[in-house]
Amino acid sequence: MALDPQSAEALIGSHLTCLPIESLPIAQCVGAVLRENVYAERDQPPFDRVTMDGIALAGAAAQAGRRRFRIQGTQAAGDPPLSLARPDCCIEVMTGAVLPAGCDTVIPVEALRAVDGDIEIDVQSAAPWRYVHRRGSDRTQGALLLPAGTVLRAPEVAVAASAGMARVRVSSQPAIAVVSTGNELVEPGEPIAPHQIRRSNAYAVAAALRQRGFQRVADDHIADDADALHERLRLHLQTHEVLILSGGVSMGRFDLVPQALRDLGVQCVLHGIAQRPGKPMWFGTSSTGRAVFALPGNPVSTLVCLARYVVPALYAAMGVPATARERIALAAPIHWDVPLTGFMPVRVSVDEWARPWGTPQPTNGSGDFAGLAMTDGFVELPPGPAEFAKGFVTRLFRW
C-alpha cells in the first residue's frame, strides 16, 4: 500500500543527513542557511543617535525660558562627539550624528529661526529625547540577532554585517544533478520530429532550485539505455550529494531508473505515494549518504513532487527548522472524486479585506505543463470522493 504524503515526507526526512558547514565572506552569503547564532557586537544603536537635521542643546535651558542660543559648532555623522560648552550654546547636528555630550534635546531645522547670528527656538518643540534614537534601544550588546537555521536574505545579511561578521558559517550548498531520461526528449532550439517532445522538466526543476537559492545545479539527459543509464548515474553519484531524476520510475518496460539505482547500491526508501499527480515517485539513499529523488516524468507531476518533497527536504538538510505550512482558503468549490490525496494548482489573490484566496486552476492531466503558467502553487486536498466548498482551508505549496 502506498504511503500518504505526510508519512512519505517524514520518511524522506529521516533518511537525509545534515549538510556540512562552510565559512563564506558575508558578500557571498545571500540565500545561504546560517549555521551559527549571530549576536550583537555592540549596543544598537551604539550611541545616542540624532534622527533629524537641526540643533542639539541642553533641554533644561529651554525649559527655563531661554529662546536664543549661539551656535558653538557642527556635529556631523561619523565625527567624534563634541561637548556643549555652556547652557546658552547649541550645536548644529546632522541626521545620524552622535548626540553631543551635555545635550539631551534636538530641535529640527524646520522649527528654528536665525536671528542676528543666533538661533531662536520655539520652546514647545524642545522636548528632550524626541529626535534621539537612544543607545541600546534596539538591541543591547550580546543580544541574539539571528538564530542558526535562518535563511540569509537582504535584511539578514545587513544584520550580520552590522554585527561585525566579515565571514559567516553557513550550510554548504549541495551539489545537485538534475537528470532527465527518455528517448523522446529534444532540446529547445533543436529540430524536432512529430513523435518527439521538448525537454522542459529539467529546465523547470533547475529554475525552481535556483529561485530558492540553490546554485550548484548541474544538468544531464540520458537516453533509455540500461548501460548508459548505469554509467552516467554512477558518475553523478560520485560527484553530487543530491540527484533529482525526471522520468523512468513507473512500471513500463523502459522505466529503467529503479533497477539502475539498485544495481548502483542505492537503497529504495519509498516507491509510490498515494497522491495524484505524482504517485510513482521514488526516493532512496546510498551507503555514502547520497540522496536520490526520482520524480515521475509527466511535467505537472515533476514540479508538484519537487515543491512538495524535494525542496522541503533540502532545506531541512541545510538546517532550516520546520515551520508551520502556509494555508489558504479555496476561492471556489472543488469536486475531488479520486481516493488519493490531490494536488490542485491555484492562483493566489487577495480580496478587499486583505484575505488571501486560492482559485483552483485544474490542468488537463499531469502532462499539461502549460496549465501551470500564471499559477502560484498548489493546494493539498484530502482523499476523495469529496466536495470541498468555497472557504475550505488547506495547505498551500508555492512553486
Side-chain angles (χ1 to χ4, degrees), residues 26-238:
I26 185 67
Q28 298 177 19
C29 285
V30 63
V33 177
L34 191 62
R35 292 289 288 277
E36 63 178 321
N37 292 335
V38 175
Y39 299 95
E41 178 185 37
R42 303 183 292 166
D43 290 342
Q44 293 187 356
F47 49 80
D48 289 333
R49 176 178 172 273
V50 175
T51 63
M52 297 284 284
D53 292 340
I55 62 168
L57 48 79
Q63 297 304 321
R66 179 172 291 279
R67 299 290 187 274
R68 294 177 65 170
F69 296 83
R70 182 166 299 278
I71 296 178
Q72 171 188 327
T74 299
Q75 182 75 69
D79 287 352
L82 301 174
S83 294
L84 191 68
R86 300 189 310 273
D88 63 342
C89 290
C90 66
I91 297 175
E92 186 181 19
V93 290
M94 307 300 171
T95 300
V98 176
L99 182 70
C103 299
D104 63 3
T105 301
V106 172
I107 301 177
V109 67
E110 295 85 355
L112 304 176
R113 189 163 65 96
V115 178
D116 299 329
D118 292 338
I119 295 295
E120 186 173 271
I121 68 168
D122 176 1
V123 73
Q124 293 182 345
S125 63
W129 309 114
R130 177 183 294 171
Y131 299 111
V132 180
H133 193 180
R134 298 302 304 274
R135 173 176 177 167
S137 60
D138 294 342
R139 299 290 187 277
T140 56
Q141 183 180 27
L144 177 65
L145 301 180
L146 300 171
T150 300
V151 178
L152 297 173
R153 307 166 303 155
E156 291 78 19
V157 169
V159 168
S162 75
M165 302 188 70
R167 301 184 70 89
V168 184
R169 287 163 60 84
V170 298
S171 293
S172 294
Q173 280 269 333
I176 303 173
V178 177
V179 180
S180 55
T181 64
N183 295 337
E184 74 278 17
L185 303 178
V186 177
E187 288 290 338
E190 295 295 323
I192 191 168
H195 59 277
Q196 296 174 316
I197 60 174
R198 292 294 182 191
R199 182 171 175 260
S200 58
N201 285 1
Y203 292 100
V205 170
L209 292 171
R210 293 191 175 103
Q211 178 179 304
R212 289 169 169 84
F214 297 100
Q215 300 300 327
R216 300 176 62 192
V217 181
D219 175 48
D220 195 9
H221 175 214
I222 308 174
D224 289 325
D225 177 84
D227 292 338
L229 190 64
H230 185 281
E231 179 58 25
R232 298 272 277 281
L233 290 181
R234 182 188 63 80
L235 178 62
H236 288 308
L237 286 168
Q238 291 174 347

Side-chain angles (χ1 to χ4, degrees), residues 330 344-348 358-361 374-379 396:
L330 295 180
M344 175 65 67
V346 294
R347 186 175 299 170
V348 176
T359 301
Q361 303 287 311
M374 310 307 293
T375 62
D376 298 285
F378 57 90
V379 293
L396 171 69

Side-chain angles (χ1 to χ4, degrees), residues 221-398:
H221 175 214
I222 308 174
D224 289 325
D225 177 84
D227 292 338
L229 190 64
H230 185 281
E231 179 58 25
R232 298 272 277 281
L233 290 181
R234 182 188 63 80
L235 178 62
H236 288 308
L237 286 168
Q238 291 174 347
T239 56
H240 297 83
E241 285 86 18
V242 179
L243 272 61
I244 303 175
L245 286 72
S246 173
V249 294
S250 295
M251 304 300 290
R253 179 181 173 187
F254 292 104
D255 290 318
L256 307 173
V257 167
Q259 184 61 52
L261 292 170
R262 283 194 295 270
D263 293 343
L264 291 166
V266 180
Q267 179 183 1
C268 177
V269 174
L270 67 84
H271 189 186
I273 305 174
Q275 63 184 42
R276 181 177 291 180
K279 185 177 179 181
M281 178 175 160
W282 190 101
F283 170 75
T285 57
S286 73
S287 59
T288 57
R290 306 310 199 195
V292 181
F293 299 87
L295 313 182
N298 280 325
V300 179
S301 301
T302 298
L303 271 192
V304 163
C305 290
L306 181 77
R308 179 63 180 83
Y309 303 106
V310 182
V311 170
L314 294 179
Y315 276 149
M318 295 178 74
V320 178
T323 57
R325 295 286 189 185
E326 187 175 3
R327 299 176 68 82
I328 198 167
L330 295 180
I334 297 177
H335 173 71
W336 184 249
D337 60 1
V338 181
L340 302 169
T341 297
F343 297 126
M344 175 65 67
V346 294
R347 186 175 299 170
V348 176
S349 60
V350 178
D351 66 18
E352 58 267 31
W353 291 283
R355 297 177 301 185
W357 294 88
T359 301
Q361 303 287 311
T363 63
N364 189 28
S366 57
D368 182 16
F369 215 175
L372 301 184
M374 310 307 293
T375 62
D376 298 285
F378 57 90
V379 293
E380 185 170 312
L381 303 174
E387 297 283 344
F388 300 103
K390 176 181 178 181
F392 176 77
V393 177
T394 186
R395 295 173 70 178
L396 171 69
F397 295 85
R398 293 184 181 267

